[in-house]
Amino acid sequence: MVYRPLRSIGRFVLAACAVSFGAAGLSAQTVPSTTAPMGPNPSRVDVFVGFSYFGTHSPLNPGGMEFSSVNEGAIGSAAYYFNKYVGAEFVNTDHPDGVNDSLYDYSAGPIFRAPMENFTLFAHGLVGGARLLGPNSDAAATYFHNPYQWGVGLTAGGGMDYQLPFMHNRFSLRLFEADYRYVHTDFGPYSAPPTGGVGGGRANLNGVDLSSGIVVHFGNIIPPPPVTYACVISPTTAYPGDPVTITGTATNLNPKMTPTYTWSGDSGVMVSGTSSTGNIDTKSLAPGTYNVKGHISEGKKPGEMADCTASFAVKAFEPPTISCSANPSTVNPGDSATITSTGMSPQNRPLTYSYSSSAGSISGSSSTATLSTAGAAPGAITVTCNVVDDKGQTASSTTSVSVTAPPPPPAPSTSALCSLSFDRDARRPTRVDNEAKACLDDIALNLQRSSDAKLAIVGNKGAAEKHADKFAAERAVNAKDYLVKEKGIDGSRVMVYTGTTDAKTDTTTLIPAGATYDSMGATPVDESALLAKPKPHHKKK
């Protein structure tokens, strides 16, 4: 009597495992290869078997009976879920005891669950019938003979399951199930012992029922996703004769099945291929837009086949295009420039090049040519680049080369000539001696060779000289006087200044026509005042 329910539940466990293994094997053949749902896929049916402990010490009234044995037992349940969260459940708990008291409960009701990644929480409320059996003995010490009696059983509680990652996730471990159970049933009539006894009565049992065991899952709430198919054509625009391919991409395929592929197109479109890639023949297609349809099939059931459609366009042949450039784009007269052409045929037809120019001469019949500017006047030269394909379709483009005017001659600049020294004759500190005359002779030759040049003479003074300013001016004027009187140089071509250099010298600068003399720091000499004779001084009487 004690182990019969346990043996029944054990057989139920083995049967459930066998069915689960079969379902797991079947599921392995139908699981889609891609786009599996995120997280666990809730099961349709859950079967639970496990160990149960019902602890109660409730009195049995009237009569003084007490249901106080340790109530280890077994529990089994089956839940059918209408959706991911709500279902209906049937539960059977067996707490047999051949010596003391035994309780058997059969109940059903709604169950609610909250599936997560690896755990599932659940709660249920159940109502049903309970059978209570007291001590079954005629012994004088027992006093009772109480057959099974039916009564009302109420259960409310919940628990937590852990999804086992192996065996295709067909099993969960019920970490715990905690229920509050209430039983209200008869415990009589009974046969009174020889010494007399008490009559039957009602049993009010309540307490916590704790359970743990294995949950087996069957079916899925979310069915496997259907096969989907998408296809892409490359290129989407082509010319007659160009290769065009179509490629299909399927999702949710079953890896245990072999898909078949077929391709078809609009009237006149020929598509070859029995795989996920098809080849489209465009040689005989007129310009226009065409559709190609792909079909994939794993079976004849809904969701095991899918179609896709893509389109492409055939264009008429187009003329070539050309662009050209010059390098360099600016040249000096007589220099050359390289002309580079970039021609393109949309149909990759062979191309022939030719060139012409508005000035100079150009040579070349390939994608590069050479422009010679020999004999061309300064200004822009227009170069025309031409291209023609083997169908006689042409295109042209232009570029320009600028021929610059000759650069102007550089502006003339002044140059320093020899210097005159007045250190050797202390008595006549402004006299032009023979050495100074030699310098002035060279200067005269320069002025004679450059008849339009001028000369600047700057007379300087020593810081310790008396009449220093007068001596500096006389040194410059005396040098000019030598050039004018002795060498015949026009006096208007010679300018005289006084400078700030601390030396008894004259510095000379040749000023060509068009050049500018920088007279900063030099003071022009008033030659008329310098050459005027001083008036005699009269003594006062």
Side-chain angles (χ1 to χ4, degrees):
M1 177 179 179
V2 175
Y3 299 104
R4 185 184 309 152
L6 293 176
R7 289 197 299 269
S8 299
I9 292 177
R11 287 194 295 270
F12 179 71
V13 171
L14 293 175
C17 291
V19 174
S20 176
F21 282 127
L26 178 61
S27 174
Q29 297 178 2
T30 58
V31 172
S33 62
T34 57
T35 65
M38 294 299 292
N41 188 353
S43 55
R44 177 67 71 179
V45 176
D46 285 350
V47 176
F48 165 60
V49 290
F51 171 81
S52 174
Y53 172 78
F54 180 51
T56 181
H57 298 277
S58 301
L60 304 177
N61 295 312
M65 291 180 63
E66 182 178 2
F67 188 86
S68 59
S69 62
V70 177
N71 290 281
E72 300 89 349
I75 184 172
S77 66
Y80 178 86
Y81 288 94
F82 309 108
N83 55 39
K84 186 177 179 181
Y85 305 103
V86 181
E89 182 182 31
F90 172 78
V91 179
N92 169 222
T93 59
D94 294 341
H95 297 87
D97 196 318
V99 177
N100 295 308
D101 308 301
S102 300
L103 176 64
Y104 305 94
D105 183 90
Y106 305 89
S107 56
I111 183 170
F112 308 91
R113 66 180 174 184
M116 294 174 283
E117 184 67 27
N118 295 312
F119 296 90
T120 299
L121 299 176
F122 68 92
H124 55 194
L126 310 171
V127 62
R131 300 178 69 188
L132 176 63
L133 176 66
N136 187 6
S137 174
D138 292 328
T142 304
Y143 301 115
F144 301 108
H145 182 85
N146 188 15
Y148 283 106
Q149 300 293 328
W150 280 101
V152 177
L154 302 176
T155 302
M160 175 185 288
D161 296 339
Y162 171 70
Q163 184 80 27
L164 298 176
F166 48 86
M167 297 302 296
H168 303 282
N169 291 323
R170 287 294 171 179
F171 293 91
S172 290
L173 176 64
R174 181 148 294 178
L175 301 177
F176 71 90
E177 179 180 335
D179 295 320
Y180 173 78
R181 191 180 306 281
Y182 171 76
V183 175
H184 182 77
T185 184
D186 293 321
F187 62 85
Y190 63 93
S191 298
T195 58
V198 183
R202 290 284 182 176
N204 294 295
L205 304 180
N206 62 84
V208 176
D209 193 348
L210 300 177
S211 306
S212 180
I214 294 295
V215 181
V216 187
H217 306 291
F218 299 91
N220 291 320
I221 293 293
I222 303 174
V227 173
T228 61
Y229 201 32
C231 48
V232 176
I233 287 182
S234 178
T236 57
T237 301
Y239 296 98
D242 287 350
V244 176
T245 59
I246 181 168
T247 302
T249 302
T251 56
N252 306 325
L253 292 178
N254 186 340
K256 299 296 184 179
M257 302 178 70
T258 301
T260 58
Y261 300 87
T262 57
W263 300 100
S264 61
D266 291 345
S267 176
V269 178
M270 302 296 294
V271 187
S272 61
T274 57
S275 67
S276 59
T277 300
N279 299 310
I280 303 170
D281 186 355
T282 64
K283 290 192 296 294
S284 60
L285 295 180
T289 301
Y290 299 90
N291 297 313
V292 176
K293 180 181 179 180
H295 179 77
I296 185 174
S297 175
E298 288 187 314
K300 297 181 179 180
K301 295 180 181 180
E304 294 182 341
M305 60 189 72
D307 296 321
C308 67
T309 302
S311 61
F312 69 100
V314 175
K315 297 197 304 182
F317 289 119
E318 297 178 4
T321 61
I322 188 173
S323 63
C324 57
S325 61
N327 183 32
S329 58
T330 301
V331 297
N332 294 321
D335 289 348
S336 298
T338 300
I339 308 301
T340 302
S341 297
T342 303
M344 184 184 68
S345 170
Q347 302 83 39
N348 295 320
R349 297 288 179 183
L351 302 176
T352 302
Y353 296 88
S354 61
Y355 301 89
S356 63
S357 61
S358 61
S361 60
I362 189 166
S363 60
S365 58
S366 65
S367 60
T368 59
T370 302
L371 172 68
S372 173
T373 63
I381 298 177
T382 300
V383 177
T384 302
C385 310
N386 306 293
V387 68
V388 60
D389 64 13
D390 61 342
K391 289 185 171 292
Q393 300 180 107
T394 63
S396 63
S397 179
T398 61
T399 187
S400 63
V401 176
S402 178
V403 180
T404 61
S413 60
T414 61
S415 58
L417 301 178
C418 58
S419 297
L420 286 67
S421 175
F422 295 89
D423 284 330
R424 288 175 289 276
D425 192 345
R427 294 179 58 192
R428 292 171 293 180
T430 62
R431 183 177 71 88
V432 177
D433 59 14
N434 291 333
E435 186 175 346
K437 290 178 181 179
C439 173
L440 291 172
D441 292 342
D442 290 337
I443 293 173
L445 291 175
N446 280 282
L447 291 173
Q448 291 167 359
R449 284 194 295 265
S450 302
S451 59
D452 54 354
K454 294 185 178 181
L455 179 71
I457 302 176
V458 179
N460 298 298
K461 60 187 177 182
E465 283 188 294
K466 294 181 179 180
H467 312 294
D469 293 337
K470 179 176 179 295
F471 288 168
E474 287 181 354
R475 287 168 183 151
V477 171
N478 290 343
K480 175 181 178 180
D481 189 59
Y482 176 81
L483 291 172
V484 172
K485 294 180 179 179
E486 299 295 332
K487 295 298 180 180
I489 302 301
D490 185 356
S492 62
R493 297 175 62 191
V494 182
M495 300 172 290
V496 290
Y497 301 88
T498 58
T500 59
T501 302
D502 183 9
K504 301 173 184 179
T505 60
D506 279 347
T507 58
T508 60
T509 302
L510 183 66
I511 309 170
T516 301
Y517 174 66
D518 184 5
S519 61
M520 182 176 294
T523 303
V525 175
D526 185 359
E527 297 180 57
S528 61
L530 184 64
L531 295 176
K533 293 182 180 181
K535 295 180 180 180
H537 296 281
H538 299 283
K539 296 182 180 180
K540 293 181 180 180
K541 293 182 179 180

